[in-house]
Amino acid sequence: MAPYLSIVIPVYNEASIVASAAAELTQGLDARGWDYEVIFAENGSRDATPQILEEMCAKNPRLRWFHSERPNYGVALKAGIEKARGTYVFCDEIDLCDLSFYDTALPVLEKGGVDMVVGSKAAKGASDQRPLVRRVATRVHNKLLRVTLGFQGTDTHGLKAFRREALLPVVARCVVDMDVFASEFVIRAWREGLRVVEIPIKLHEKRQPSIHLFKRVPNVLKNVGKLFYVIRIRGT
């Protein structure tokens, strides 16, 4: 039978924390008595991450993983969502795994009237403990999405929870990859009239990002440009 919750977590070269983060997450989920699966979307790792995932999943039937050869956060996240079987899907990050988001987002979805909950690190009431340069980058990225695509929220990247049935068609229409896939996913849901709400989160990462911020910039700009053309020019 399909689980009630699916948790999708992209992982890339996370040998140092994947086992401890997964243990902490599953212990919290078990303590809440939830029926769940955790899907690790491993993409392009060159360390021991695949071996660790294989061992973890062999020991715990609630855990699954798959491998993508090329490092690509967006492709991995999209594939993980498509493999999810739960009524509700949570998109998490291996360096976060903050169950307080689950505790807040799940009742909002269960109550009805909402299709997607976005955990915003820039909304009023949020606490973002990342370095200043990364906090500024989030706001610049959001401003870029606002100017180019008319986005009216405060965040698109990171923690999300949604009704699988409502959002799978949106996932299928997404055209960009890497980090900007997460933005396209939220923006398309909003533009297509689905009920999207934001909740503030307290963000404290367990480690430094696996990919340096400034290495992401060219690809982000390219994909935002592609998204602008597809949505605003072609209207698709």
Side-chain angles (χ1 to χ4, degrees):
M1 294 181 62
Y4 191 55
L5 304 180
S6 292
I7 296 99
V8 180
I9 307 177
V11 288
Y12 167 70
N13 287 346
E14 300 289 4
S16 64
I17 67 168
V18 66
S20 59
E24 182 179 345
L25 175 63
T26 55
Q27 287 169 9
L29 294 168
D30 289 338
R32 288 159 173 79
W34 291 339
D35 179 27
Y36 68 91
E37 65 177 357
V38 181
I39 302 171
F40 296 98
E42 186 275 313
N43 58 112
S45 296
R46 296 294 180 261
D47 62 2
T49 299
Q51 292 79 10
I52 295 171
L53 290 173
E54 184 65 29
E55 294 173 3
M56 286 168 40
C57 295
K59 295 176 182 177
N60 188 339
R62 291 187 182 273
L63 307 183
R64 295 196 285 147
W65 79 286
F66 66 91
H67 170 73
S68 301
E69 187 61 30
R70 187 165 65 95
N72 191 312
Y73 174 91
V75 169
L77 181 57
K78 182 176 183 178
I81 293 171
E82 292 172 337
K83 293 175 184 294
R85 301 173 297 159
T87 302
Y88 301 108
V89 179
F90 282 72
C91 298
D92 207 338
E93 305 288 331
I94 196 64
D95 58 333
L96 300 181
C97 293
D98 181 5
L99 281 160
S100 63
F101 173 72
Y102 294 63
D103 291 333
T104 304
L106 184 57
V108 173
L109 292 170
E110 289 177 325
K111 186 178 179 181
V114 171
D115 297 304
M116 173 185 277
V117 179
V118 178
S120 174
K121 49 191 173 288
K124 183 178 180 180
S127 174
D128 187 350
Q129 299 180 31
R130 297 175 303 160
L132 176 61
V133 65
R134 296 188 61 210
R135 299 199 303 270
V136 170
T138 292
R139 284 159 175 76
V140 170
H141 180 62
N142 189 69
K143 181 68 173 179
L144 182 63
L145 297 176
R146 185 182 298 272
V147 171
T148 57
L149 298 165
F151 179 58
Q152 296 180 2
T154 64
D155 203 358
T156 58
H157 197 275
L159 303 180
K160 285 175 279 293
F162 52 89
R163 293 194 307 113
R164 176 178 170 273
E165 182 178 357
L167 271 297
L168 270 183
V170 177
V171 170
R173 286 189 284 275
C174 291
V175 298
V176 299
D177 60 4
M178 303 300 283
D179 290 355
V180 183
F181 165 77
S183 298
E184 180 182 10
F185 185 34
V186 174
I187 289 170
R188 282 193 181 274
W190 167 72
R191 289 180 64 90
E192 293 179 20
L194 295 180
R195 298 155 295 183
V196 181
V197 300
E198 293 184 341
I199 59 175
I201 60 171
K202 291 179 170 56
L203 183 60
H204 176 68
E205 297 174 321
K206 295 180 173 67
R207 57 100 174 97
Q208 292 296 313
S210 55
I211 301 177
H212 193 277
L213 173 65
F214 293 107
K215 291 183 178 180
R216 300 177 179 180
V217 172
N219 191 76
V220 167
L221 294 176
K222 181 187 74 172
N223 274 320
V224 170
K226 180 179 179 179
L227 204 53
F228 175 80
Y229 173 75
V230 168
I231 292 179
R232 284 293 183 90
I233 307 300
R234 289 175 50 187
T236 60

